[in-house]
Amino acid sequence: ETGVTQTPRHLVMGMTNKKSLKCEQHLGHNAMYWYKQSAKKPLELMFVYNFKEQTENNSVPSRFSPECPNSSHLFLHLHTLQPEDSALYLCASSQDSLALGTQYFGPGTRLLVL
Amino acid sequence: GQNIDQPTEMTATEGAIVQINCTYQTSGFNGLFWYQQHAGEAPTFLSYNVLDGLEEKGRFSSFLSRSKGYSYLLLKELQMKDSASYLCAVGNSNYQLIWGAGTKLIIKP
């Protein structure tokens, strides 16, 4: 247990569906991250929130929409996804995104887009 | 561009020693991290190097040479549970982590 939980663990959706991924951290951290992990590729940073403010959007398509209501919760809203969006989506947290500290990861959501 | 290179896959024998290399080219340097990721699980932090030299932590050690843009993770007395992917990540001048694709380590009895 890393102190970061993600739900659901697995998700299958059609290209016209709308779904949301949820992440919660119990570590008292101020920064939260969304990553995309595809097989045999480096982790791709998608979004960064620091003290609930989005500080990084790494040229992510608008079909991915993040939401951070407070420092402990992070959502990723999905709509009209493409099959190439199938991947493992990892949430992470750290003390502060402006100081390079250890990131703690959740177990991820395995997403399959049909 | 910025990139991290590490071998895709390595195989080693239980009880042996294995060294996983990582070379990097980034805009600035603010430390190098190693993470372990078992299949289907979250990456977990192993080590952090910001100065040149060797950092030892039990069976695992990590080495850094900033002038060569090079690091390695050394695993001793390998156990079957060490079968996992090992991710190298470098902090750049913008305090962003640049990740390698990971090295899948297979341990054989």
Side-chain angles (χ1 to χ4, degrees):
Chain A
E1 285 293 329
T2 62
V4 182
T5 58
Q6 288 186 246
T7 55
R9 293 293 309 275
H10 301 272
L11 179 62
V12 180
M13 58 188 290
M15 290 189 284
T16 58
N17 291 157
K18 288 185 180 181
K19 296 286 184 184
S20 295
L21 310 185
K22 179 183 176 182
C23 175
E24 184 173 0
Q25 57 97 358
H26 309 273
L27 300 170
H29 288 163
N30 297 304
M32 297 188 78
Y33 309 77
W34 278 118
Y35 285 94
K36 177 183 179 182
Q37 187 175 36
S38 302
K40 300 185 179 180
K41 289 186 178 180
L43 283 175
E44 296 176 43
L45 180 64
M46 300 175 72
F47 302 103
V48 181
Y49 279 82
N50 203 36
F51 293 92
K52 300 189 300 179
E53 298 296 322
Q54 187 179 125
T55 58
E56 188 83 31
N57 177 339
N58 217 16
S59 303
V60 180
S62 60
R63 58 185 183 269
F64 295 91
S65 174
E67 178 189 359
C68 187
N70 54 60
S71 293
S72 299
H73 294 86
L74 186 65
F75 295 89
L76 188 62
H77 304 299
L78 316 172
H79 63 97
T80 60
L81 293 191
Q82 304 298 310
E84 60 263 30
D85 296 324
S86 298
L88 181 68
Y89 288 85
L90 290 165
C91 173
S93 71
S94 69
Q95 190 60 48
D96 183 335
S97 69
L98 299 181
L100 204 58
T102 302
Q103 293 185 13
Y104 294 81
F105 286 84
T109 295
R110 175 72 61 185
L111 174 66
L112 177 61
V113 181
L114 300 176
Chain B
Q2 304 184 95
N3 66 284
I4 309 287
D5 289 315
Q6 47 181 136
T8 303
E9 188 173 299
M10 299 183 69
T11 302
T13 305
E14 190 177 16
I17 299 173
V18 71
Q19 176 175 312
I20 303 175
N21 295 325
C22 170
T23 57
Y24 63 89
Q25 290 179 309
T26 55
S27 56
F29 178 82
N30 275 300
L32 185 144
F33 294 81
W34 284 97
Y35 281 79
Q36 180 190 59
Q37 185 177 25
H38 285 100
E41 296 183 15
T44 54
F45 170 77
L46 282 179
S47 67
Y48 172 67
N49 294 68
V50 67
L51 299 176
D52 291 352
L54 188 68
E55 294 278 345
E56 297 187 75
K57 192 184 291 186
R59 295 188 298 114
F60 293 7
S61 303
S62 56
F63 171 83
L64 175 67
S65 169
R66 289 171 296 171
S67 62
K68 295 181 179 178
Y70 167 70
S71 172
Y72 66 73
L73 181 69
L74 191 71
L75 292 75
K76 303 176 185 176
E77 302 168 18
L78 285 170
Q79 302 175 10
M80 298 302 292
K81 67 179 182 179
D82 297 329
S83 293
S85 288
Y86 292 85
L87 312 179
C88 175
V90 175
N92 68 7
S93 56
N94 292 327
Y95 293 93
Q96 296 172 332
L97 275 182
I98 309 300
W99 293 84
T103 299
K104 183 178 180 180
L105 177 63
I106 299 169
I107 310 296
K108 295 186 174 180

